[in-house]
Amino acid sequence: METYKFDKSYEWFERACKVIPGGVIGHKHPAFTVPGSYPYFASRGEGSHYWDPDGNEFIDWMCGFGPMVLGYNNPVVDAAAQEQAKLGDGMSHPGPISIEYAEMMVKLTKGMDWCVYGKNGADITTWCMRLAREYTGRKKILIVRGAYHGAQAWSTPSYGGIIDEDRTHVHFFEWNNLDSFMELINTYKGQVAGVMMTPYHHCIYADQQMPAPGWWETIGKVCKQEDLILISDDVRAGFRLDMAGSHAYFGYEPDLVCYSKAIANTYPISAGLGTSKLKETAEHVLFTGTFFSSMVPMAASIATVKELKRLDGVNYMMKIGKALCDGLVSVGKSNGFEIIMSGPYDIPFMRFAREKNFMLKQLFSGEAAIRGVIFHPHHNWFTSCAHTEEDVKKSLEVADIAFKKVKDKYGSD
Amino acid sequence: METYKFDKSYEWFERACKVIPGGVIGHKHPAFTVPGSYPYFASRGEGSHYWDPDGNEFIDWMCGFGPMVLGYNNPVVDAAAQEQAKLGDGMSHPGPISIEYAEMMVKLTKGMDWCVYGKNGADITTWCMRLAREYTGRKKILIVRGAYHGAQAWSTPSYGGIIDEDRTHVHFFEWNNLDSFMELINTYKGQVAGVMMTPYHHCIYADQQMPAPGWWETIGKVCKQEDLILISDDVRAGFRLDMAGSHAYFGYEPDLVCYSKAIANTYPISAGLGTSKLKETAEHVLFTGTFFSSMVPMAASIATVKELKRLDGVNYMMKIGKALCDGLVSVGKSNGFEIIMSGPYDIPFMRFAREKNFMLKQLFSGEAAIRGVIFHPHHNWFTSCAHTEEDVKKSLEVADIAFKKVKDKYGSD
């Protein structure tokens, strides 16, 4: 099998570095994958595939880091967006579509009574934190160590540009560790405004952790007892576990739910939903931005929800994800490797059982990328409704070669 | 002249209030205009006009609160966006267009060496604040009282959901008041990271203030002496004073420039530009979001810049704005009112000279709105390249009627 070259990507990257700090900003920076074995830019997408500037074609198990659920350039979603674009997008008022959108999201999401719309996931998570503070009159927010709630100063996983005061009242507990949670609850009795958590723990550089039996039940009970606002950050998992919200999937009852990513199949929108007790407070915590009421992404989101329902999308993404995950474990085993797949089938994270430093995983992922299959070495992957059994078959064939390359260099288990 | 009814707007608003806190979030809320005399929603836009759900047509002097500079549904910008959309928008890497975009912005903007891209204006202003802190190792940020830098906790003009720690190191001085600026500089000697300012003072509910002679020169000199990062928040004024940046217009030399709103004619994008001394630091203050690298808004922005240049857009917007502003002063005078227009002609703010509580202005604006002309009662307005002399003529005819209504109720000066 011919392997890919990335000459044009590197040429673009050299140009990029002259005018963009690091050449690519944020989580899509090449240093986060395996520099030298990955494309650095995407030129075109279609369904579950994309093409880089060198003309190489890839099966994309990253789905744009989540937002693509129905395939790049999905004709149904794009047609709905175009229809709205003919009328208008960003104007001096919201459109009636903002109401249809909120009505749809409220009806869709279990236990929620109202909806606001923004651009970034972090617009919503940050506002929800402030809403919890305003409602309770208390300052402290509890979050899980290693959880990602956006790159704002209070929650960024990076170190630059943070001052102590950004986190004076943000406290960390460990996922699935009730003692660490209760220690904060007891230490800061009467001072805690809310708890922000993802539905399951999708950390990076480590196995994902599903909720232990009773975990959510206890969290919910304590939040009710202590009158804390429970915020479900469903930005990453939303629409891949349950269309009614990942809290419906795991059976907990949040006061606020944060959505973005998958809800509009790559169109830029985020949404926050809440229960009626917080509605009046929500009016008093100013939430605004020039593009928050843009109408085209709302039309795209409405179409995305319809399509996901029509296709039974969550089940399909789970099914195709299971085929990929089971296949990787099996192909890994046939090459002498124990492979750990963690997290939901459609948001999976892969690890070689014997390693903790990702040398094997990086080699594996790089060898797959130069053969047209995008597995991320350090971040969870995503499946979509556009991924086919043929994609899985091709991906496993490439994985087989990649496992052999790892065996050649590092030996099997 | 038949006046407009807003029955459908109110019906939609009633529905909206059931599922959206306040019915409309943020700065587009009807309470910010004159409830009862304005449409609450926009259904369709074309050029400088829009239509509400009742089918009423309006000349829009708000331009979507700034982003519309070439007209709603501008065919050139929309075609460029569509061309890019066919290739891809939000994908697993940025597109080569991110580089072309950064190159264009760097070339365009006076004194700037690099560019990053985001979604909201506040994404950029907030990140620039953090960048100044990281670069200097100091905490304090000085801003002008009453300036708007977005609705994040450190800068929101509202009161909800803020804790003391959000602003421990944000200090306020008065526009055009050097003593108040120097007092902060001297009080916090060696502790100030940066100064964030808009090019001129576009407060709300008050006359806009242009920089006094020597103001920017002194600010620049002090920032250099004290080694402070000077951040120009050009989100609102950008592309309406000078395509090279409003700092080029007023002659100051910022270290960082923040853009959003007008740069892509309503497509959602923001951009931050900086000088080379900050480039390495910029790599270490994580700036990221799922939709930051979306390609369609970049294509729209490139097309917007080309069109604004081709049309000599800034001069046109100034010219049409001058016709409107001069006309309003003149029509006001003929009705016995002294009218104060403040700020640039294409970002004007109107006030009745004799009043400070906006009762006259609200009546005036409401009477204009029910006759098809959107003047905002409390916020500055915007002009665009799509506004015509016919729009001005019609607007002044309506203004004449509105002034007479004010005279009937409150008497002339």
Side-chain angles (χ1 to χ4, degrees):
Chain A
M1 187 183 278
E2 190 79 35
T3 57
Y4 290 169
K5 299 266 183 295
F6 303 106
D7 298 341
K8 291 232 169 66
S9 259
Y10 303 157
E11 272 172 41
W12 277 111
F13 190 67
E14 220 176 291
R15 266 175 75 175
C17 287
K18 290 183 184 138
V19 288
I20 298 169
V24 169
I25 64 164
H27 62 290
K28 294 178 183 173
H29 193 280
F32 195 35
T33 58
V34 182
S37 298
Y38 274 77
Y40 293 0
F41 299 97
S43 296
R44 186 165 73 82
E46 192 76 44
S48 58
H49 290 221
Y50 72 84
W51 288 260
D52 71 3
D54 290 273
N56 303 314
E57 180 176 356
F58 300 91
I59 299 170
D60 185 10
W61 294 107
M62 287 311 293
C63 298
F65 285 78
M68 187 277 274
V69 271
L70 290 167
Y72 294 118
N73 283 345
N74 178 276
V76 176
V77 176
D78 289 354
Q82 267 315 295
E83 207 52 44
Q84 177 60 48
K86 277 182 214 155
L87 298 173
D89 186 15
M91 300 178 68
S92 296
H93 314 271
I97 197 169
S98 66
I99 303 152
E100 295 169 322
Y101 186 62
E103 287 174 343
M104 177 196 75
M105 289 300 287
V106 166
K107 195 173 163 199
L108 184 67
T109 315
K110 190 176 176 186
M112 295 293 117
D113 302 306
W114 53 263
C115 174
V116 298
Y117 37 80
K119 282 290 121 220
N120 303 308
D123 296 343
I124 303 286
T125 56
T126 302
W127 180 72
C128 283
M129 175 183 69
R130 294 176 54 200
L131 195 50
R133 286 173 170 165
E134 181 70 13
Y135 180 80
T136 59
R138 303 190 291 256
K139 288 184 174 183
K140 298 205 177 287
I141 301 290
L142 312 186
I143 64 179
V144 171
R145 195 178 309 282
Y148 184 72
H149 300 296
Q152 295 291 338
W154 67 272
S155 64
T156 177
S158 184
Y159 295 97
I162 306 171
I163 59 173
D164 294 344
E165 287 79 359
D166 291 327
R167 300 183 176 192
T168 306
H169 299 292
V170 177
H171 302 276
F172 299 84
F173 61 101
E174 309 294 327
W175 181 263
N176 277 347
N177 182 329
L178 199 58
D179 288 347
S180 74
F181 178 66
M182 288 312 298
E183 195 184 319
L184 293 180
I185 293 289
N186 292 324
T187 305
Y188 299 113
K189 202 94 184 166
Q191 300 173 56
V192 180
V195 182
M196 187 180 297
M197 295 168 68
T198 55
Y200 73 93
H201 191 44
H202 42 63
C203 38
I204 54 171
Y205 295 99
D207 291 347
Q208 300 188 104
Q209 295 172 56
M210 300 303 267
W215 173 242
W216 272 120
E217 200 185 331
T218 313
I219 295 285
K221 201 181 295 173
V222 174
C223 285
K224 277 212 168 58
Q225 273 166 7
E226 305 288 327
D227 197 23
L228 315 181
I229 301 301
L230 179 57
I231 305 164
S232 180
D233 178 354
D234 216 355
V235 169
R236 195 178 304 178
F239 286 17
R240 278 193 170 89
L241 295 177
D242 191 319
M243 294 298 288
S246 301
H247 57 289
Y249 184 82
F250 289 118
Y252 59 96
E253 293 175 5
D255 301 292
L256 293 164
V257 175
C258 311
Y259 275 124
S260 182
K261 287 204 184 272
I263 63 175
N265 200 48
T266 77
Y267 286 80
I269 188 168
S270 57
L273 290 107
T275 56
S276 53
K277 76 173 183 185
L278 285 156
K279 195 175 174 199
E280 201 188 317
T281 310
E283 293 182 35
H284 303 136
V285 179
L286 182 65
F287 187 60
T288 201
T290 296
F291 305 121
F292 281 15
S293 57
S294 294
M295 304 174 200
V296 168
M298 292 182 189
S301 187
I302 291 171
T304 298
V305 168
K306 274 189 199 150
E307 273 299 275
L308 282 172
K309 282 180 170 176
R310 188 182 69 81
L311 297 167
D312 193 10
V314 172
N315 280 332
Y316 182 83
M317 291 189 280
M318 284 282 194
K319 195 186 79 176
I320 206 83
K322 186 173 191 307
L324 178 70
C325 293
D326 289 352
L328 284 169
V329 170
S330 162
V331 176
K333 193 173 178 188
S334 73
N335 282 285
F337 294 107
E338 186 189 347
I339 296 302
I340 310 287
M341 301 298 305
S342 57
Y345 287 125
D346 57 355
I347 319 174
F349 182 82
M350 172 190 153
R351 188 170 61 81
F352 284 77
R354 82 169 195 248
E355 78 161 350
K356 292 207 164 167
N357 61 5
F358 288 90
M359 295 295 285
L360 279 63
K361 176 83 178 291
Q362 284 173 8
L363 179 59
F364 171 82
S365 304
E367 291 293 335
I370 60 174
R371 290 171 178 85
V373 179
I374 296 296
F375 298 132
H376 201 288
H378 311 123
H379 193 283
N380 68 260
W381 312 335
F382 298 90
T383 71
S384 79
C385 296
H387 283 95
T388 61
E389 286 178 19
E390 184 58 31
D391 285 334
V392 174
K393 186 165 166 280
K394 168 82 192 296
S395 298
L396 294 176
E397 282 165 16
V398 164
D400 188 47
I401 301 173
F403 279 126
K404 285 181 170 50
K405 294 284 176 184
V406 176
K407 188 158 66 177
D408 287 350
K409 182 150 184 189
Y410 295 104
S412 56
D413 290 348
Chain B
M1 186 183 278
E2 190 79 35
T3 56
Y4 290 170
K5 300 266 182 295
F6 303 106
D7 298 340
K8 290 231 169 66
S9 258
Y10 303 156
E11 272 172 42
W12 277 111
F13 190 67
E14 220 176 291
R15 265 174 76 174
C17 287
K18 290 183 185 139
V19 288
I20 298 169
V24 169
I25 63 164
H27 62 291
K28 294 177 183 173
H29 193 280
F32 196 34
T33 59
V34 182
S37 298
Y38 274 76
Y40 293 180
F41 299 97
S43 297
R44 185 165 74 81
E46 192 76 44
S48 57
H49 291 221
Y50 72 84
W51 288 259
D52 72 3
D54 289 274
N56 303 314
E57 180 176 357
F58 300 91
I59 299 171
D60 185 10
W61 294 107
M62 287 311 292
C63 298
F65 285 78
M68 188 276 274
V69 271
L70 290 167
Y72 294 118
N73 283 344
N74 179 276
V76 176
V77 176
D78 290 353
Q82 267 315 296
E83 207 52 44
Q84 177 60 49
K86 277 182 214 155
L87 298 173
D89 186 16
M91 300 177 68
S92 296
H93 314 271
I97 197 169
S98 67
I99 303 152
E100 295 169 322
Y101 186 63
E103 287 173 344
M104 177 196 75
M105 290 299 287
V106 166
K107 195 174 164 198
L108 184 68
T109 314
K110 190 176 176 188
M112 295 295 117
D113 302 306
W114 53 263
C115 175
V116 299
Y117 36 81
K119 282 290 120 216
N120 304 308
D123 296 343
I124 303 287
T125 56
T126 302
W127 181 72
C128 283
M129 175 182 70
R130 294 175 54 199
L131 196 50
R133 286 173 170 165
E134 180 70 13
Y135 180 80
T136 60
R138 302 190 291 256
K139 288 184 175 183
K140 299 206 176 285
I141 301 290
L142 312 186
I143 64 179
V144 171
R145 195 179 309 282
Y148 184 72
H149 300 296
Q152 295 291 338
W154 67 273
S155 65
T156 177
S158 184
Y159 295 97
I162 306 171
I163 59 173
D164 294 344
E165 287 79 359
D166 290 327
R167 300 183 176 192
T168 306
H169 299 291
V170 177
H171 301 276
F172 299 85
F173 61 101
E174 309 294 327
W175 180 264
N176 276 347
N177 182 329
L178 200 58
D179 288 347
S180 74
F181 178 66
M182 288 312 298
E183 195 185 318
L184 292 181
I185 293 289
N186 292 323
T187 305
Y188 299 113
K189 202 94 184 167
Q191 300 173 57
V192 180
V195 182
M196 187 180 298
M197 294 168 68
T198 55
Y200 73 93
H201 191 44
H202 42 64
C203 38
I204 54 170
Y205 295 98
D207 290 348
Q208 300 188 103
Q209 296 173 55
M210 301 302 267
W215 173 243
W216 272 120
E217 200 184 331
T218 313
I219 294 284
K221 201 181 294 172
V222 173
C223 285
K224 278 214 167 55
Q225 273 167 7
E226 305 288 328
D227 197 23
L228 314 182
I229 301 301
L230 178 57
I231 305 164
S232 181
D233 177 354
D234 216 355
V235 169
R236 194 178 305 179
F239 285 18
R240 277 193 171 89
L241 295 177
D242 190 320
M243 294 298 288
S246 301
H247 57 289
Y249 184 83
F250 289 117
Y252 59 96
E253 293 175 4
D255 301 292
L256 293 164
V257 174
C258 311
Y259 275 124
S260 182
K261 287 202 183 273
I263 64 175
N265 200 48
T266 77
Y267 286 80
I269 187 169
S270 57
L273 290 108
T275 56
S276 53
K277 77 173 182 186
L278 285 156
K279 195 175 174 198
E280 202 188 317
T281 309
E283 292 182 35
H284 303 137
V285 179
L286 182 66
F287 187 60
T288 201
T290 296
F291 305 121
F292 281 15
S293 57
S294 293
M295 304 174 200
V296 168
M298 292 183 188
S301 187
I302 291 171
T304 298
V305 168
K306 274 190 199 151
E307 273 299 276
L308 283 172
K309 283 181 169 175
R310 188 182 69 79
L311 297 167
D312 192 10
V314 173
N315 279 332
Y316 182 83
M317 291 189 280
M318 284 281 194
K319 196 186 77 175
I320 206 84
K322 186 173 190 309
L324 178 70
C325 293
D326 289 353
L328 284 169
V329 170
S330 163
V331 176
K333 194 174 177 186
S334 74
N335 282 286
F337 294 108
E338 186 189 348
I339 296 302
I340 310 287
M341 301 298 306
S342 58
Y345 287 125
D346 57 355
I347 319 175
F349 182 82
M350 172 189 153
R351 188 170 61 81
F352 284 78
R354 81 170 195 248
E355 78 161 351
K356 293 206 164 167
N357 61 6
F358 288 91
M359 295 295 284
L360 280 64
K361 176 82 178 292
Q362 285 173 7
L363 179 59
F364 171 82
S365 304
E367 291 292 336
I370 60 174
R371 290 172 179 84
V373 179
I374 297 295
F375 298 132
H376 201 288
H378 311 123
H379 193 283
N380 68 260
W381 312 336
F382 298 90
T383 71
S384 79
C385 296
H387 283 95
T388 62
E389 287 178 18
E390 184 57 31
D391 285 333
V392 174
K393 186 166 165 280
K394 167 82 192 296
S395 298
L396 294 176
E397 282 165 16
V398 164
D400 188 46
I401 301 173
F403 279 125
K404 285 180 172 49
K405 294 284 176 185
V406 176
K407 189 158 65 178
D408 288 348
K409 181 150 185 189
Y410 295 104
S412 56
D413 290 348

